[in-house]
Structures are given as structure tokens and as C-alpha cells.
Amino acid sequence: MIVGCPTYAGKLPNKILPDFQSRLRGNGALAVAVVTYGNRSFDNALAELCAVLEQGGFHPVAGGAFVCRHAMTDRLAGDRPNADDLSEMATFAQAAAERIGLLRDTPAPLTVPGNASAPYYVPKGADGQPVKFLKAKPKTHMDKCTNCGRCALVCPMGSIDPEQVDQVPGVCIKCHACIRICPLDAKYFDDPALLSHKQMLENTFLTPQENRIFL
């Protein structure tokens, strides 16, 4: 089983974690755990994913953390995964397959960095102080919007009303998918705390990070 998940606040997204815990059942099967992260850090996400798989009866034999564009800003790894990243992913896949092919007994637990039980990363603003923006939702420039519905289609939470796309009655996970898909730049965030956190990220984490693999 290959299980992949993005990193959110240094761990697995809390909206998908209960499904992973209740539905992933390995019955002794081998597993490869993969997380992506937006050039800040994967923190404890890979450790948590491995722990969830082990608790579900899997035996993780390989793990990887790969850099991709940050959800909130294209300035953090906006061009990744690039050709080099894809090559590293292919190398990782080949190495994992070779390890699996050589196994004759139940493998020892995979060792990856992080603490599966650690709390979520606390976002900080441009001034370095903690900020909260859990209730922030995208706004809509109605003078630009044609109500085409693209934003509603790409929202992974199904939180945007497809009949009236300026309404977001559901949970927003700040993935910015609606903003990126809008052909008229009608979607935006104006929450001060979220914008301050975005500024902090751009001020602090522009240096390209490396992919990490564990076998």
C-alpha cells in the first residue's frame, strides 16, 4: 500500500486523519508512507503517518517527504516538484521496490524523524508572534466574479456554494485552490492574521528545502 498525504501545520490534516485511522486496515501488509510539504518543514507529519499505518496493521518499509508548492503562496517552492524532484521520487520508488523484493521476514519498524504525538505547529505572524486564522474564509470580488463555479468544483472540502460562489458555508482549510483556479482573480483572503502568517513564510522560508527519504 502506498499512502500519501500533505503536511498541514506540521502534521496530517485533521480533516483526513479520522478517515485514515478508521479505514486503513493492513492485516500485516507492507506500506510506503509519503508526505509533501510546502518548503517550511514536514515536522511530525511523516512520523504521524507511519504511526497511523502501524496502528492500522501495516508494516511501513519506506518513507519520503517531498517538497511542493506551499498552499498559501507561490513564492515558497512555486516551481516544485521540478525535474530533479521527479527524478528523486523515481529513485525512491525504485529503492523501496528493491527493499520490498528482498524482504523475507516481517521488517523492523521504519525509523523516521519527528514525534507522532506532538501538537500541531503554531503559525506565527510577521512579528514572530502566534496568530490564529482558523475561521478565515476566501472572499469574492463580485464585480469580477461571473459565478462560473470553478472554485466550487476544486474546493476539496466542498465548502463553496456552487449556486452562489461568494458563500462559503463549509469548513475552509486555506488550501487556496479556489484562488488559483479563478480565471478572473476574483477570490482572495483579507484576514489580517492569515496575511501576516503568509508574509512571515515569505520572509523566512524562501531557501529551497530538500526531499528526504527513509528506508
Side-chain angles (χ1 to χ4, degrees):
M1 171 77 79
I2 301 172
V3 182
C5 193
T7 298
Y8 257 61
K11 299 193 72 178
L12 303 183
N14 61 3
K15 298 302 179 185
I16 193 66
L17 179 57
D19 288 312
F20 278 5
Q21 293 171 325
S22 65
R23 300 187 183 190
L24 294 179
R25 291 291 178 264
N27 297 313
L30 304 181
V32 175
V34 178
V35 297
T36 59
Y37 72 105
N39 206 65
R40 184 190 65 79
S41 174
F42 61 95
D43 289 334
N44 303 294
L46 187 58
E48 185 176 30
L49 180 55
C50 287
V52 168
L53 290 172
E54 289 172 359
Q55 291 162 8
F58 289 93
H59 297 294
V61 294
F66 295 93
V67 179
C68 67
R69 179 185 63 193
H70 197 282
M72 292 187 180
T73 171
D74 290 350
R75 293 191 62 197
L76 267 67
D79 63 342
R80 299 179 72 179
N82 55 32
D84 290 339
D85 295 318
L86 296 177
S87 178
E88 288 186 34
M89 292 175 190
T91 299
F92 167 67
Q94 181 63 36
E98 290 176 357
R99 179 163 193 262
I100 290 170
L102 294 172
L103 287 174
R104 295 295 179 268
D105 299 304
T106 300
L110 181 68
T111 300
V112 300
N115 177 3
S117 301
Y120 284 94
Y121 163 78
V122 177
K124 295 180 174 60
D127 61 359
Q129 298 303 306
V131 291
K132 294 182 179 180
F133 45 82
L134 289 175
K135 295 183 180 181
K137 294 184 177 183
K139 302 291 183 63
T140 305
H141 290 295
M142 293 309 296
D143 57 335
K144 296 181 179 180
C145 179
T146 62
N147 211 50
C148 70
R150 295 186 189 184
C151 55
L153 286 174
V154 300
C155 177
M157 301 299 292
S159 295
I160 299 175
D161 185 343
E163 302 298 326
Q164 194 173 354
V165 297
D166 62 318
Q167 300 299 308
V168 188
V171 173
C172 174
I173 60 172
K174 288 54 158 185
C175 70
H176 285 58
C178 61
I179 292 175
R180 289 190 170 97
I181 197 67
C182 181
L184 300 174
D185 295 323
K187 288 287 185 184
Y188 67 99
F189 279 98
D190 64 358
D191 182 87
L194 185 149
L195 295 178
S196 182
H197 177 57
K198 177 181 175 182
Q199 186 63 56
M200 184 280 293
L201 292 170
E202 294 176 345
N203 290 345
T204 312
F205 296 104
L206 292 184
T207 300
Q209 298 297 306
E210 296 181 351
N211 303 313
R212 301 281 304 279
I213 63 173
F214 306 91
L215 298 165

